[in-house]
Amino acid sequence: MLIANIEKQDPTFKATENSLFKYLPTERYTIFQDGLFRYTSPIVFNDPFEIIPLVIYNLFFEGPDIGIMDYNPLSFIGALSLSDTFDNLLMWSHYANTHEGFVIEFDKSHPYFSNESFESKNLSVLGKVRYSTDFKILTDMDLNNLSKIYEANRKNKEFDFKSFPFNIFFNKGIVWSYENEIRHLKYYKNSDKYFVAKDKEEKDFIFHLNLFKIPFAAMKSVILGANSPTGFFEFVEKQTKENIELQHLKIYKASLSPNLYKLII
């Protein structure tokens, strides 16, 4: 249900063929202020099978630990995990604070997502994840291409990712199919902001935490969870009123169906 600008908008939420959705917990409220979204390194993907290609690369080249991003070209990529569904109960539970969080609707026709590029200086690849019973492995050709990319990166030279085995990033086990995941990939060196993640003793470098600024114009709406705190709506509404770049943002609120296992939005 729409809870802001009701007099101007259709109160029922309707997704379009260009809709992409990002589930977020309430602590990510800062995106309404800075537009920064995390593009996750494969080193910390939540599916352990997705780290296998990184291990294979290191075994092949006898390189350093997979946690060192500068040495493993597969970890040069950061992924923004999106979905083409906005009302999945499991997604709301797992990624949006048990329905206390929110979902951002993006417009994939916006140039930020639609301008595909394989150049290292502005890599941008959007693709739908395919679900299967077997995971993709690296071929000898993949490994050789990756070694060339590694060398170019090490020497700070510009290069393109056309030979990069992107299929590795767009394949997951069937058990994850409920996510209907779509990934947007970027090159970690192009991030707008990053932090260095270290081990618990704050000694050893593990990976970069990369944040990319997504234009507010690429956002269409926000859906607040069924358990969203009252104060959170007030915060979001305030941001849309005070920031001229967010004044177009529609605000919806999810609620629980009285007789079905579904959300009403």
Side-chain angles (χ1 to χ4, degrees), residues 237-253:
E237 185 180 41
K238 181 181 179 182
Q239 299 304 308
T240 61
K241 289 180 177 179
E242 296 181 352
N243 185 345
I244 192 171
E245 294 184 84
L246 285 174
Q247 289 179 1
H248 68 284
L249 202 68
K250 302 174 187 176
I251 306 174
Y252 295 86
K253 177 75 163 61

Side-chain angles (χ1 to χ4, degrees), residues 46-63:
N46 58 8
D47 180 358
F49 283 98
E50 294 198 81
I51 204 171
I52 290 176
L54 283 79
V55 176
I56 292 174
Y57 176 87
N58 276 39
L59 290 175
F60 185 81
F61 288 104
E62 297 183 352

Side-chain angles (χ1 to χ4, degrees), residues 111-163:
Y112 181 82
F113 293 108
S114 63
N115 288 352
E116 184 175 73
S117 172
F118 293 97
E119 297 178 349
S120 59
K121 61 183 178 182
N122 56 4
L123 177 71
S124 178
V125 178
L126 185 70
K128 192 171 180 61
V129 171
R130 299 170 182 82
Y131 301 96
S132 63
T133 55
D134 60 322
F135 58 86
K136 301 300 180 184
I137 61 173
L138 295 173
T139 65
D140 289 344
M141 182 179 292
D142 289 335
L143 291 167
N144 288 325
N145 288 334
L146 286 169
S147 67
K148 294 175 183 177
I149 290 174
Y150 160 72
E151 284 299 322
N153 180 79
R154 186 175 66 84
K155 296 176 181 177
N156 290 316
K157 292 183 177 180
E158 289 188 9
F159 58 93
D160 68 61
F161 280 90
K162 289 181 180 178
S163 62

